[in-house]
Amino acid sequence: MTANDESVSSSSASEKSFQTDSDDEANQAEIPSSSVTVVRLKQGHGGDDSLPPPWWKKRRERIFRKKTLYMRFPILKWLPKYSAQDFVADLVAGITVGVTVIPQGLAYATVAGLPPGYGLYASYVGCFVYLLFGSTPVVTIGPTALMSLVTYDSGAALLGPEAAILLAFLTGCIVLLFGLLNFGFLIDFIAAPVVAGFTSAAAFTIATTQIEALLGLKFDDEGFLNTWIAVFEHIEETKKWDAVLGLSSIAILLLLRILDQVKLGKEGERKRWQNWVNSTCWLISVSRNAIVIIAASILAYALTEPGQK
């Protein structure tokens, strides 16, 4: 092989190697660059050895949290801090509220068209339940005038006490469901004038249902307008002493109501006897319902002859 042949072969080899390097660079330029993202899974969100916990376990942990238990059972929060001074204050408050709620319960049962005993049951049974679930100490648990009126208008009283008990049970279920679903915001859509109007109308309706017993009349008419028409038609049959006892009880209740406003001495400068007088006036004013009911019952029993209706 001559020198010319060797130079030609070496030049062709160098051209081939240069062409190969150029092709590799072109191929690398055509392939887009790619990046790898590493994702770390938290415990319980994947992997063969970390399965997610079941839903009931999460729900159980959420329900039995200390914050949730304190919110659902407030007694767990204040009972460990309960003192003897709190007991004395609650004892006085319980007696004061009791002498007010019990007579009201008896009266509200009559408004609902039920025997008075059911009003007595409703006065104290709810307090035992509220002891565990109650969230505020400044509310009175028991029947109300509006509740009694709605019960009467529902017609449950005409079917007997069992129907009223069923109505109370179904109402409790609905209220419990609304509480679990956090539907308390619905009350924001009820305007204050609507509530005031409903309360005022309920007051007139309750007074209408009691006017027959207040005057000692007997008639079968029902309803707001029919009752007042029947009252004026039978006004001559009014029992004098029944009316006197009823109207005088109303007057005494109104007078005892303003007894709470009696304040002897100036604030911070009162003597001991002045504090006793102010406390006594306050207690009498708060217990006015029980005082009037007990006094009127004793008076009616003393003036009523056996067998007289």
Side-chain angles (χ1 to χ4, degrees):
M1 182 180 292
T2 62
N4 293 331
D5 296 335
E6 291 179 356
S7 62
V8 171
S9 61
S10 61
S11 61
S12 62
S14 61
E15 290 177 358
K16 288 181 180 180
S17 62
F18 177 77
Q19 185 177 2
T20 303
D21 294 338
S22 300
D23 294 340
D24 293 339
E25 292 179 357
N27 292 333
Q28 291 179 0
E30 293 177 359
I31 297 175
S33 61
S34 61
S35 60
V36 179
T37 303
V38 179
V39 179
R40 290 185 177 181
L41 297 177
K42 295 183 179 180
Q43 185 178 2
H45 288 272
D48 297 335
D49 55 347
S50 59
L51 296 176
W55 65 269
W56 57 267
K57 188 175 181 180
K58 293 182 179 179
R59 189 66 177 175
R60 183 187 62 184
E61 293 176 354
R62 183 177 179 182
I63 292 175
F64 290 99
R65 288 185 306 174
K66 182 182 292 187
K67 182 179 180 180
T68 305
L69 291 177
Y70 282 169
M71 183 176 60
R72 301 301 181 186
F73 300 94
I75 189 174
L76 300 176
K77 187 175 182 179
W78 59 260
L79 186 60
K81 304 176 183 178
Y82 201 72
S83 61
Q85 185 177 2
D86 296 332
F87 174 76
V88 174
D90 286 343
L91 180 62
V92 175
I95 295 175
T96 304
V97 175
V99 297
T100 304
V101 172
I102 292 176
Q104 284 183 352
L106 298 175
Y108 290 152
T110 305
V111 173
L114 299 172
Y118 287 91
L120 184 63
Y121 300 148
S123 298
Y124 70 86
V125 173
C127 297
F128 290 105
V129 179
Y130 198 78
L131 174 68
L132 301 175
F133 302 100
S135 58
T136 175
V138 293
V139 65
T140 301
I141 301 300
T144 62
L146 296 178
M147 191 185 305
S148 303
L149 181 62
V150 172
T151 302
Y152 179 79
D153 291 338
S154 67
L158 301 177
L159 302 177
E162 294 80 7
I165 294 173
L166 178 61
L167 177 63
F169 175 75
L170 295 178
T171 303
C173 293
I174 295 173
V175 172
L176 178 61
L177 180 62
F178 274 36
L180 294 176
L181 297 177
N182 295 325
F183 277 3
F185 68 92
L186 294 177
I187 198 67
D188 297 334
F189 296 97
I190 302 178
V194 176
V195 178
F198 180 76
T199 305
S200 301
F204 282 109
T205 306
I206 292 172
T208 301
T209 58
Q210 299 302 304
I211 191 65
E212 178 183 357
L214 180 65
L215 301 178
L217 301 176
K218 296 292 183 181
F219 50 80
D220 298 330
D221 297 275
E222 295 182 356
F224 182 84
L225 186 60
N226 294 333
T227 299
W228 283 106
I229 293 175
V231 166
F232 286 107
E233 289 178 350
H234 298 80
I235 194 67
E236 297 179 355
E237 303 174 5
T238 301
K239 295 181 180 180
K240 180 177 61 176
W241 294 114
D242 288 357
V244 169
L245 182 61
L247 295 175
S248 60
S249 298
I250 295 175
I252 294 173
L253 283 173
L254 294 177
L255 291 175
L256 293 179
R257 184 178 182 180
I258 64 176
L259 191 63
D260 184 26
Q261 302 177 4
V262 176
K263 301 294 182 182
L264 298 181
K266 296 181 180 180
E267 186 70 28
E269 300 179 359
R270 295 191 182 103
K271 298 180 180 180
R272 187 173 183 179
W273 67 271
Q274 291 177 334
N275 290 328
W276 277 99
V277 172
N278 293 338
S279 300
T280 303
C281 292
W282 172 81
L283 183 60
I284 293 175
S285 177
V286 172
S287 308
R288 60 185 180 272
N289 293 333
I291 293 174
V292 171
I293 288 179
I294 294 174
S297 300
I298 294 175
L299 182 62
Y301 178 79
L303 298 179
T304 303
E305 299 179 358
Q308 182 180 0
K309 297 184 179 180

